[in-house]
Amino acid sequence: MADIKKIATRESYGNALKELAAEGADNLVVLDADLSAATKTGIFKKAYPDRHINCGIAEANMLCVAAGMSTMGLVPFASSFAMFAAGRAFEQVRNTIGYPHLNVKIGATHAGISVGEDGASHQCCEDFALMRAIPGMVVICPADDVEAKQAVKAAYKYEGPVYLRFGRLAVPVFHSDDYKFEIGKGEVITEGNDVTIIANGLMVNEAIEAGKALAEKGISAEVINMATIKPLDEELVLASAKKTGKVVTVEEHSIIGGLGEAVSSLLSEKLPTPVKRIGVNDEFGHSGPALDLLKQFGLSAENIAKVTKEFVK
């Protein structure tokens, strides 16, 4: 059996920016806060050095520069770690980009517990909540290399602010090259009747594996990849919840304010359904190997299957 290809979605981000420019996106510019080697915008910088700006360790300023550039017809992708892009520069994102609804794209890498050894100060598990709360902000968290590159290109074409979250950890590529990503649309990966599992980011692959484990126990799980957290694919969520009667959400984010709450809010208003949220349980992370931390915080296929099985019973 051939080894499954694994690629970090931050790598996909850098490659997608380079591809966009090569495909004729002449108004594309990329900004970084002195982290181009880590965010992988260095891939773009090497090919198009005159269209890459290092703003230094000054994320708030970088977002303001991006805002100004967008008013001149350029499409800026401002890049940094999620903790800095969503956290440190929140006021600028809200007031300078969100409020005037400017055409700025935020490429946030190194999000979630899987940042690993960098520890709690860098393991941003609050960015979905922060960005979802900004009116008009699109929030996307792709699951693998294929989807990440398509999400970047879709964000470029979209007129308005977009927050894109990418990971540090290499994750399996499970989408085929003919997969088509669309902002605001979810994806049914496996059909099921007993329970719906809705996930995003690197949790999608874990949900897929959990679904396989559940099938061996006689539980039919419908696994959904919800890469766009805002706007949520309400039609898909409602249809699946109606079919299975129970929903489990899985995200590498706090259970407060993220995918789980978006799904719960929708269902509580339009189709009351039992929901179980799996994520970071209102606590900070800590330093350690990424895979070990994911298991410790319950973000593994094994735990997803265990929790879902108990929930279905």
Side-chain angles (χ1 to χ4, degrees), residues 75-276:
V75 182
F77 277 75
S79 320
S80 187
F81 289 5
M83 190 65 250
F84 308 138
R88 180 176 294 168
F90 177 77
E91 180 191 348
Q92 286 69 32
V93 175
R94 179 192 183 275
N95 288 338
T96 311
I97 295 171
Y99 182 40
H101 198 72
L102 296 181
N103 193 32
V104 174
K105 321 304 171 183
I106 302 168
T109 69
H110 293 67
I113 292 296
S114 60
V115 172
E117 288 83 358
D118 286 358
S121 63
H122 286 55
Q123 292 163 341
C124 186
C125 295
E126 307 85 17
D127 54 330
F128 293 166
L130 289 167
M131 295 297 105
R132 281 183 62 231
I134 297 177
M137 178 69 74
V138 170
V139 182
I140 302 173
C141 182
D144 71 355
D145 174 65
V146 173
E147 185 169 62
K149 288 195 287 189
Q150 289 201 23
V152 172
K153 295 178 181 181
Y156 169 76
K157 294 177 182 178
Y158 175 82
E159 186 70 28
V162 180
Y163 179 83
L164 295 143
R165 186 208 238 206
F166 306 107
R168 177 187 196 181
L169 189 67
V171 292
V173 180
F174 57 86
H175 282 112
S176 60
D177 291 336
D178 60 357
Y179 169 70
K180 301 298 181 184
F181 171 82
E182 184 179 347
I183 292 176
K185 294 294 182 182
E187 170 196 17
V188 177
I189 296 178
T190 58
E191 300 275 357
N193 298 303
D194 297 325
V195 63
T196 298
I197 303 177
I198 303 176
N200 61 18
L202 61 80
M203 289 296 100
V204 176
N205 185 69
E206 298 300 315
I208 292 171
E209 294 304 313
K212 294 176 182 177
L214 289 167
E216 294 177 357
K217 302 293 184 180
I219 298 173
S220 173
E222 180 148 293
V223 178
I224 293 176
N225 169 26
M226 194 63 69
T228 309
I229 307 163
K230 181 186 176 185
L232 194 70
D233 189 341
E234 296 188 357
E235 183 178 347
L236 177 57
V237 173
L238 292 169
S240 187
K242 184 176 182 180
K243 179 169 71 169
T244 67
K246 288 190 175 183
V247 175
V248 175
T249 62
V250 192
E251 59 193 313
E252 191 193 5
H253 183 275
S254 170
I255 59 171
I256 300 170
L259 175 66
E261 284 208 352
V263 170
S264 297
S265 297
L266 169 66
L267 293 176
S268 67
E269 290 183 353
K270 298 187 177 180
L271 184 69
T273 306
V275 176
K276 179 65 178 179

Side-chain angles (χ1 to χ4, degrees), residues 10-124:
R10 60 174 173 146
E11 191 91 27
S12 315
Y13 175 52
N15 286 325
L17 293 171
K18 180 181 175 181
E19 290 175 11
L20 271 170
E23 292 164 3
D26 295 333
N27 59 350
L28 170 67
V29 290
V30 178
L31 292 75
D32 209 295
D34 209 31
L35 287 169
S36 61
T39 64
K40 298 303 180 182
T41 65
I43 296 171
F44 177 89
K45 179 181 180 180
K46 185 176 180 180
Y48 301 94
D50 57 331
R51 291 160 63 183
H52 183 281
I53 302 171
N54 182 2
C55 294
I57 305 173
E59 293 82 7
N61 178 62
M62 176 180 68
L63 271 299
C64 290
V65 171
M69 286 181 144
S70 73
T71 66
M72 303 302 292
L74 297 172
V75 182
F77 277 75
S79 320
S80 187
F81 289 5
M83 190 65 250
F84 308 138
R88 180 176 294 168
F90 177 77
E91 180 191 348
Q92 286 69 32
V93 175
R94 179 192 183 275
N95 288 338
T96 311
I97 295 171
Y99 182 40
H101 198 72
L102 296 181
N103 193 32
V104 174
K105 321 304 171 183
I106 302 168
T109 69
H110 293 67
I113 292 296
S114 60
V115 172
E117 288 83 358
D118 286 358
S121 63
H122 286 55
Q123 292 163 341
C124 186

